[in-house]
Amino acid sequence: MNGMRYEAPSSVDEASALLAGASGKARVLAGGTDLLVQLRAGMVAPELVVDVKNIEEMTTYSVNDGAYTIGAAVPSAELHEDADLLGMWTGVIEAMDLVGSTQIQGRASLGGNLCNASPAADSVPAMIAASAICTVAGPNGRRDVPVEDICTGPGQTSLANGEIVVTIKLPKQASRTGDAYLRFIPRTEMDIAVVGAGVCLTLDEGGTCTDARVSLGAVAPTALLVKECADALIGTKVDEAAMANLDAAARAAASPIDDKRGTVEFRTKVSGVLARRAAAIALERAGS
Amino acid sequence: MDGDTNGYRWIGTRTIRPDGVDKVTGRAAFGADFSLPGMLVGKILRSPHAHARIRGINTKKAEVLAGVKAVVTSADFPEILPAEATKGSSPPNYRHLSQNLMAREKVLYDGHAVAAVAATNAAIATEALSLIEVEYEVLPHVTGVLEAMAEDAPILHDDLFTGGVDPKPGKPSNVAKRVEFAIGDTDAGFESADLIVERHYDTEGIHQGYIEPHAVVASMAADGQANIWCSSQGHFMVRQYCAGLLNMNIGDIKVTPAEIGGGFGGKTTVYLEPVALLLSKKSGLPIKMVMTRDEVFRGTGPTSGSYMTIKVGAKQDGTITAAEADLRFFAGAFPGAPVHLGCMCGFTPYDIENVKAVGYDVVTNRPKAISYRAPGAPIAAFGIESAIDELAKKLNIDPLALREKNAAKQGTRTAYGPTLGVVGFEETLEAAKNHPQMSEPLGANQGRGIASGYWFNVGGESSASVSVNEDGTITVTSGAPDIGGSRASLCIMAAEIFGINIDQVRAVIGDTTATAFNRHTGGSRVTFALGAVVIEAAEDCILQLRECAAKTWDIDIDAVEWENGEARPAGDNAGKFEPLTLPEIAEKTPMTGGPISAKKSSNVQGPGPAFGTHICDVEVDCETGHVKILRYTAIQDAGRAIHPGYVEGQMQGGVVQGIGWALNEEYIYGEDGKLQNPGFLDYRIPVASDLPMIDTVIVEIPNPTHPFGVRGVGEIPIIPPMAAVANAIENAVGLRLTSLPMSPPKVLAALDNGD
Amino acid sequence: MAKNHVTTTINGEPVEFLCETQQTLLDVLRDELQLTGSKEGCASGDCGACSVMVDDRVVCSCLVMGVEAEGKSIETIEGMADGDQLHPLQQKFLENAALQCGICTPGFLVAAKALLEKNPDPTETEVRYWLAGNLCRCTGYDKIIRSVLEVAEEAKGA
């Protein structure tokens, strides 16, 4: 760590070039709430740290015809303070708001939470359920990647050398759409999710679910997009029977491990419980 | 209670603590806030293995790294032979303490200190640690108490033979000792019972969880004279232990106490100080050592975990006829689990003719246990208060009523020997019965639990001096660190005795040269014991003040009385003199015999034992096992609350530690014997959003052996909560949980299995 | 590797310092600038004892790199009182005995001040969740929460 270099470029291209050109390991610094913990614990010893917070498109966000384009390094607290964004994508913003404490919220970002690639990341199931799309920039230009294709394993992403997630796009919401994210933690704050469940669903005028996406976190090496859970909801009025099917589908899809935060048995059972509860909240939000 | 100050001017009021402004402005200097010019950074290399023989340590590469000024291993410390393990009346076994400080032949836990370096900055010190080569021969390890007691358990110490058993065993064991406290005949008592409940309980290792990691700045000169700045619960203890571990003269060490950022018993020993001294001597420079949070969890604390069997028998009418406890506590790598204290306190709230409490102190490959707030008693109370609750429910008697029926009171004989004097247990039960929380309605999956607890509190060696300054202000100097507001209480007591305004009194904690020996802060003793000597010293000063007045008026001292901060003639016959105020007398002292001050030292006896009763309401989420605390009330006999705000604070703080112990705190070891959660992320202490307001009721049954009736208050509050929560869960969902912590996966599994 | 030269503002005063890249803002405050009011309890963002304001957001200074202070405005506990006038929160904490050992107190004061500036009339639940990242082991939080609510209440009346 002696000799670690710090750069703060003002454009994505510069940042990308720095990352690609590093002789040793290089890491992106957004909010630092994961990176600095890992540096201190000796888990990573990069030669170069690239601070992206001077890059305007990564630290601002905008809405265009109902679609939000959010800079990957915008602090969560800023997003949560935007009443319109919070009202539209309540699940996503509340999910990110659950990450850590007030102090963490002042720094942590959607991009950082995603790219740290913890299987228990709170924003990821919510973003997946919301059909979020990342714009990735690298030495070979830019490409769009669905959020669910970014994480490939614990701490691993599909980003190539020199690539950065620049923005995250939340699509224009169909009417009568609601999203929700719930997580289980032993205390009421400050814990890593033991189970996370994100649900986004759309109803028709009659109250029948016409579209749904359900994503589970902390029960597999990456967050899962569970088609069977969506199938349990689509075409139904999200009644008790549909909820029971949803519960069963969630439990079937979960493949958690035993660790210091929870057992296989516990995580499996609670996957079903949270999927149901999140679906109930999403349903209410879609209806109102 | 606040309105009634019993005719006192300051006792029972909520004055602002004298050290407060520094603490709210960030000015107060804690252990890591000191610096000395030229200071080096010291760091410790710790074992990655739970149990291993050290075949060799090679420090050469570390020694030659640029910036490294000293390296030490156990070879640099005097070896303390078994015959030297006890030094006078100093509490620890110095041989064990030394081996814990820095491993000799074996490492005994993940985190055990093996070597230390001093370097010009932290980065170099860290690199130096990585250059120290240690050859380990890994041995099988054992972390559980029952496993450690088993026939085929890996043995930690070849020279440890179980004490307290007859005949003396020939084979070494992990059972350091067996203790027993008994009165009457429990077999006969159970015979006469109409109902018996018997269950096993288990608890995990728990850390005190103070927010301030251990820190020290130490400087030792070539002639062996040393200065230490550190936060601890006893700077005299630090001096004594360093001297004993390093074969130094006690008088050659001066320890200055920093403010302390929490201790709860965990800072009543030394980890860094002797190491820093040696590094300083070797390098010729001052050394600063601050533990990381990881080191705090792996290398300090914790308190014991346990396996317990509790058996209680009673008649249909609720009279308890017999009670037995078998308590097996693990002590970590060296003997010293507080199991005897658990045995002594557990059944003491109840007047039972036939009691037998047996305890085992068992070593395991975990960090060496140290005190944690009423050591041993909270663990025993979890089992015993749960058993009392189960008994009440099976007999169909209200849990408070059952306790009232069997309540210990003045004259009750305890199982560990003494007969109780004036105590306030019944009063806490009465206050609980009448508390509004008892009539709060409970909804679905909500329940209420009651639990009580007892702690003897201690007195101990206390030294203080009280000086009258030239302007009549008072300085109280004492030698026990202030960990919870005791300076405020000492000022209050002094102001009350002198009869002056509280802002005329300042209390300071002097260094080890300022007063005679003080036992460390712990055992809920400071307000009681230091208070007693401060009162004595203040009264001596008043005698001297009266003498000055007598000289000034040329009358007999018996004709001078002291009231409301002034000397006055005792009656008209004494003479018509205008009263002399403290400042007026103080400024005359050069003419009347010199400065007024008094020093008192005493091994204060007669602490007031105390009781508490708690009421806890919970709600259980039956689909996830999450337990929410809805309401909590702590009721406690404080004897006399010198400063009600700080008494309440002790109660609320202890309750919340107990709630954490009940619900989520635990040491998690892997199969490999390594600690998996050495941080505040996964060692889960309660956060503000986990809790409601904690209601407190202070009952006052004055302790007859203290001038103001004080009883220790700091430790009782952590004793009842675990059982209070468990009993509330039982009331909510009909499940008796017997394993701590009652974390969501365990609660959910119990609900699903209908246990 | 040469040190980084940083120019910043701390408690309203311009400050310059040198730091290694691996030093956090907390390390810089304590070891380079002798501002030891912010405390290290965990160095991993779990305890809040190191809380400071960076450009009007309360953050853990142990999770901010020293070099990031460039051009920013930093407020620490040392800047909370105005000369010898304590901030109402500081005064209230003293009156209510909302501190025992005091190690967590600077972090709580900085975080509570940030709360009241953003939300002058919080509910008890809002206060508890806002302060959930500040650990206290001594008080059980009760008197801290009461103090924040009382300051908010009194500001309303003022």
Side-chain angles (χ1 to χ4, degrees):
Chain A
M1 207 147 71
N2 283 337
M4 184 167 72
R5 207 165 35 108
Y6 168 89
E7 299 284 352
S10 45
S11 77
V12 170
D13 287 340
E14 251 185 276
S16 185
L18 281 165
L19 290 166
S23 47
K25 275 210 224 15
R27 292 293 278 265
V28 171
L29 172 69
T33 55
D34 286 316
L35 179 61
L36 265 70
V37 176
Q38 292 161 10
L39 284 175
R40 179 65 186 245
M43 283 163 62
V44 63
E47 174 253 313
L48 168 67
V49 168
V50 177
D51 185 347
V52 295
K53 296 194 292 297
N54 285 349
I55 301 173
E56 203 186 322
E57 62 177 316
M58 290 189 68
T59 52
T60 56
Y61 67 99
S62 59
V63 58
N64 195 357
D65 188 27
Y68 278 89
T69 301
I70 302 174
V74 175
S76 175
E78 215 178 297
L79 298 176
H80 197 264
E81 283 157 11
D82 185 322
D84 293 330
L85 175 57
L86 177 61
M88 168 117 6
W89 288 109
T90 317
V92 173
I93 302 305
E94 280 185 349
M96 190 60 214
D97 185 55
L98 288 173
V99 175
S101 59
T102 307
Q103 289 86 341
I104 301 296
Q105 286 289 306
R107 299 264 292 171
S109 60
L110 287 171
N113 195 229
L114 173 64
C115 295
N116 185 53
S118 160
D122 284 306
S123 70
V124 179
M127 287 197 285
I128 292 175
S131 306
I133 308 270
C134 301
T135 298
V136 174
N140 297 330
R142 298 197 173 204
R143 60 194 181 96
D144 279 352
V145 181
V147 163
E148 60 266 29
D149 291 340
I150 295 288
C151 299
T152 55
Q156 310 290 325
T157 67
S158 59
L159 298 176
N161 194 31
E163 286 193 312
I164 313 174
V165 172
V166 179
T167 57
I168 293 165
K169 216 182 322 244
L170 293 172
K172 177 175 172 149
Q173 243 184 37
S175 52
R176 277 183 296 276
T177 296
D179 75 327
Y181 172 83
L182 292 175
R183 72 174 179 185
F184 182 84
I185 51 171
R187 294 180 289 183
T188 54
E189 273 287 350
M190 300 307 285
D191 291 325
I192 300 292
V194 180
V195 178
V199 176
C200 183
L201 55 82
T202 304
L203 304 173
D204 68 14
E205 280 165 10
T208 301
C209 174
T210 55
D211 196 9
R213 278 167 70 95
V214 177
S215 175
L216 299 176
V219 292
T222 63
L224 302 171
L225 173 60
V226 187
K227 184 173 179 303
E228 294 80 0
C229 284
D231 291 343
L233 296 174
I234 295 172
T236 76
K237 286 206 154 69
V238 194
D239 54 9
E240 226 180 287
M243 288 293 203
N245 290 336
L246 172 67
D247 188 316
R251 277 183 282 120
S255 59
I257 56 171
D258 276 330
D259 71 7
K260 63 193 170 205
R261 296 176 187 139
T263 59
V264 168
E265 190 196 329
F266 180 77
R267 287 176 150 129
T268 304
K269 163 134 195 205
V270 176
S271 299
V273 173
L274 291 189
R276 265 193 284 118
R277 292 181 181 181
I281 298 171
L283 179 71
E284 208 195 301
R285 288 175 180 162
S288 60
Chain B
M1 194 240 98
D2 254 65
D4 166 25
T5 52
N6 294 290
Y8 292 121
R9 190 170 163 201
W10 299 112
I11 307 280
T13 63
R14 296 170 186 265
T15 58
I16 294 196
R17 61 193 285 170
D19 56 305
V21 175
D22 278 353
K23 290 198 167 165
V24 298
T25 55
R27 259 205 295 269
F30 292 83
D33 299 333
F34 279 103
S35 287
L36 283 177
M39 199 166 71
L40 300 175
V41 173
K43 282 198 186 287
I44 292 187
L45 180 68
R46 295 182 182 277
S47 165
H49 301 295
H51 194 194
R53 219 172 286 285
I54 300 175
R55 285 285 169 219
I57 305 184
N58 187 343
T59 59
K60 291 276 182 303
K61 289 187 190 146
E63 287 168 39
V64 302
L65 180 68
V68 172
K69 303 298 181 190
V71 179
V72 298
T73 65
S74 62
D76 293 280
F77 290 80
E79 181 172 4
I80 298 183
L81 301 171
E84 301 161 335
T86 304
K87 295 186 192 273
S89 56
S90 180
N93 174 316
Y94 277 84
R95 182 171 166 77
H96 293 162
L97 195 62
S98 176
Q99 289 170 341
N100 190 53
L101 191 73
M102 199 145 284
R104 265 183 194 273
E105 292 113 27
K106 277 173 121 184
V107 290
L108 292 163
Y109 53 95
D110 166 33
H112 196 167
V114 171
V117 304
T120 49
N121 67 45
I124 296 174
T126 303
E127 202 191 329
L129 292 184
S130 70
L131 295 174
I132 298 176
E133 294 161 344
V134 186
E135 202 192 321
Y136 292 108
E137 179 198 326
V138 178
L139 301 168
H141 62 274
V142 61
T143 52
V145 67
L146 294 180
E147 293 84 336
M149 294 175 81
E151 258 307 298
D152 56 350
I155 297 293
L156 272 70
H157 303 281
D158 295 325
D159 57 355
L160 184 63
F161 298 87
T162 310
V165 299
D166 197 32
K168 188 169 187 277
K171 251 176 48 171
S173 167
N174 290 326
V175 182
K177 71 171 187 284
R178 178 190 185 280
V179 295
E180 181 173 322
F181 299 87
I183 46 171
D185 178 350
T186 48
D187 287 337
F190 285 122
E191 279 292 309
S192 68
D194 294 325
L195 180 76
I196 296 175
V197 300
E198 182 174 13
R199 262 188 212 277
H200 303 295
Y201 301 83
D202 63 86
T203 69
E204 241 303 339
I206 295 289
H207 195 277
Q208 298 79 350
Y210 33 83
I211 307 300
E212 179 206 26
H214 301 253
V216 62
V217 174
S219 177
M220 176 134 89
D223 67 357
Q225 296 206 58
N227 274 295
I228 299 176
W229 291 262
C230 65
S231 65
S232 77
Q233 289 178 244
H235 39 303
F236 287 87
M237 172 277 298
V238 171
R239 186 180 72 164
Q240 188 182 83
Y241 288 17
C242 286
L245 290 164
L246 299 175
N247 281 345
M248 292 171 69
N249 289 335
I250 287 178
D252 283 346
I253 304 175
K254 175 177 162 185
V255 184
T256 304
E259 295 296 331
I260 175 173
F264 317 110
K267 291 180 181 162
T268 58
T269 187
V270 294
Y271 299 103
L272 297 175
E273 295 80 353
V275 179
L277 282 177
L278 274 194
L279 286 171
S280 181
K281 181 138 191 255
K282 255 194 169 182
S283 65
L285 288 167
I287 306 286
K288 183 168 185 172
M289 297 184 77
V290 182
M291 283 200 195
T292 63
R293 180 53 54 182
D294 179 282
E295 289 184 282
V296 172
F297 277 110
R298 291 169 66 219
T300 76
T303 194
S304 304
S306 71
Y307 181 83
M308 306 186 279
T309 309
I310 311 291
K311 182 176 174 186
V312 190
K315 294 229 179 283
Q316 278 305 330
D317 72 353
T319 308
I320 300 175
T321 59
E324 279 184 1
D326 178 298
L327 308 181
R328 297 166 187 227
F329 286 15
F330 60 72
F334 299 90
V339 70
H340 55 297
L341 300 174
C343 287
M344 291 158 79
C345 291
F347 289 117
T348 301
Y350 310 107
D351 185 352
I352 309 171
E353 260 182 47
N354 309 296
V355 177
K356 182 165 149 191
V358 173
Y360 298 90
D361 174 13
V362 182
V363 297
T364 54
N365 292 113
R366 290 169 177 255
K368 181 183 193 300
I370 186 72
S371 304
Y372 179 24
R373 208 163 192 167
I379 304 166
F382 169 59
I384 290 170
E385 292 296 309
S386 293
I388 299 289
D389 191 67
E390 186 175 1
L391 194 66
K393 278 157 188 176
K394 292 202 160 128
L395 289 173
N396 210 18
I397 298 177
D398 173 80
L400 272 176
L402 182 66
R403 289 178 171 84
E404 281 182 309
K405 186 157 181 69
N406 294 279
K409 44 172 94 63
Q410 182 172 15
T412 299
R413 212 185 128 212
T414 65
Y416 63 95
T419 300
L420 294 176
V422 175
V423 290
F425 182 41
E426 288 175 299
E427 287 80 352
T428 69
L429 294 172
E430 185 70 24
K433 225 170 38 172
N434 298 326
H435 193 276
Q437 184 175 343
M438 295 302 288
S439 33
E440 288 282 342
L442 292 166
N445 300 318
Q446 296 183 347
R448 180 163 298 142
I450 306 283
S452 297
Y454 165 81
W455 185 248
F456 9 57
N457 297 316
V458 305
E461 302 98 315
S462 305
S463 301
S465 73
V466 174
S467 304
V468 178
N469 301 316
E470 312 90 277
D471 60 354
T473 55
I474 305 291
T475 300
V476 174
T477 305
S478 64
D482 178 353
I483 65 178
S486 48
R487 269 169 294 194
S489 299
L490 295 180
C491 285
I492 286 176
M493 286 188 271
E496 192 74 49
I497 296 286
F498 280 107
I500 57 178
N501 219 307
I502 191 78
D503 65 3
Q504 302 293 296
V505 186
R506 290 287 175 230
V508 299
I509 315 296
D511 63 46
T512 50
T513 64
T515 67
F517 183 81
N518 271 268
R519 189 188 151 125
H520 64 261
T521 297
S524 308
R525 73 175 213 91
V526 170
T527 304
F528 167 75
L530 264 169
V533 297
V534 165
I535 289 166
E536 231 192 294
E539 284 168 345
D540 188 319
C541 287
I542 289 173
L543 193 63
Q544 297 174 54
L545 289 162
R546 286 170 57 217
E547 271 169 7
C548 291
K551 272 206 184 82
T552 305
W553 296 330
D554 198 19
I555 61 177
D556 204 67
I557 188 178
D558 291 331
V560 180
E561 60 184 25
W562 185 268
E563 207 181 325
N564 287 336
E566 33 182 51
R568 48 177 83 154
D572 284 336
N573 293 336
K576 279 201 181 346
F577 300 104
E578 283 302 304
L580 283 169
T581 65
L582 224 178
E584 284 169 343
I585 300 176
E587 72 179 16
K588 288 191 199 324
T589 52
M591 281 86 77
T592 53
I596 294 176
S597 75
K599 261 179 149 66
K600 297 290 169 195
S601 264
S602 174
N603 189 349
V604 182
Q605 300 301 309
F611 292 87
T613 297
H614 291 190
I615 311 168
C616 175
D617 290 350
V618 304
E619 181 178 290
V620 180
D621 181 336
C622 294
E623 289 198 302
T624 64
H626 194 271
V627 174
K628 181 176 170 181
I629 308 288
L630 297 172
R631 287 174 285 274
Y632 202 105
T633 300
I635 299 157
Q636 186 170 322
D637 172 18
R640 175 84 64 209
I642 301 296
H643 188 305
Y646 286 105
V647 174
E648 290 159 0
Q650 290 296 308
M651 292 167 73
Q652 292 161 338
V655 163
V656 170
Q657 285 179 319
I659 289 172
W661 199 329
L663 292 180
N664 278 311
E665 291 180 41
E666 58 179 325
Y667 267 59
I668 301 174
Y669 278 93
E671 290 286 303
D672 57 2
K674 293 195 213 239
L675 182 61
Q676 295 189 339
N677 60 337
F680 280 132
L681 178 61
D682 289 305
Y683 184 87
R684 294 181 264 267
I685 77 173
V687 297
S689 46
D690 291 340
L691 302 159
M693 296 294 185
I694 310 292
D695 203 3
T696 56
V697 177
I698 301 174
V699 163
E700 288 186 321
I701 306 298
N703 170 17
T705 66
H706 185 277
F708 292 126
V710 165
R711 295 178 195 272
V713 300
E715 287 167 294
I716 307 277
I718 199 175
I719 298 174
M722 290 85 87
V725 174
N727 295 340
I729 293 172
E730 200 283 332
N731 185 242
V733 294
L735 276 181
R736 171 66 53 194
L737 292 171
T738 58
S739 173
L740 293 184
M742 295 174 287
S743 54
K746 285 158 92 170
V747 175
L748 190 61
L751 281 165
D752 286 347
N753 299 335
D755 276 349
Chain C
M1 182 86 236
K3 290 193 183 183
N4 301 283
H5 178 264
V6 178
T7 308
T8 185
T9 306
I10 301 186
N11 296 327
E13 295 296 318
V15 171
E16 274 180 67
F17 60 83
L18 293 174
C19 72
E20 308 274 6
T21 305
Q22 67 262 28
Q23 280 180 288
T24 64
L25 178 58
L26 180 65
D27 293 333
V28 167
L29 288 171
R30 291 180 56 82
D31 301 334
E32 307 302 331
L33 301 175
Q34 282 76 53
L35 291 168
T36 56
S38 308
K39 309 296 181 193
E40 177 176 310
C42 70
S44 55
D46 297 310
C47 78
C50 66
S51 299
V52 301
M53 302 296 290
V54 175
D55 283 356
D56 298 327
R57 292 237 177 253
V58 64
V59 297
C60 284
S61 58
C62 72
L63 296 185
V64 176
M65 295 177 81
V67 294
E68 289 188 74
E70 179 69 37
K72 305 268 193 303
S73 172
I74 316 255
E75 284 165 41
T76 71
I77 182 67
E78 286 89 348
M80 192 157 165
D82 180 10
D84 64 351
Q85 295 302 304
L86 294 179
H87 186 281
L89 281 168
Q90 290 171 306
Q91 184 61 35
K92 189 63 73 174
F93 269 47
L94 287 177
E95 287 166 12
N96 283 354
L99 59 142
Q100 289 179 32
C101 80
I103 193 87
C104 72
T105 304
F108 266 101
L109 286 168
V110 170
K113 178 167 176 266
L115 169 63
L116 294 182
E117 280 167 2
K118 176 144 281 157
N119 179 359
D121 191 16
T123 63
E124 181 188 333
T125 303
E126 285 173 329
V127 176
R128 287 183 178 277
Y129 274 87
W130 182 274
L131 296 176
N134 289 81
L135 299 184
C136 175
R137 197 58 161 163
C138 292
T139 67
Y141 305 105
D142 186 292
K143 293 177 187 299
I144 293 173
I145 306 298
R146 281 184 206 276
S147 298
V148 178
L149 290 169
E150 279 175 36
V151 170
E153 190 62 39
E154 283 165 22
K156 271 198 295 195

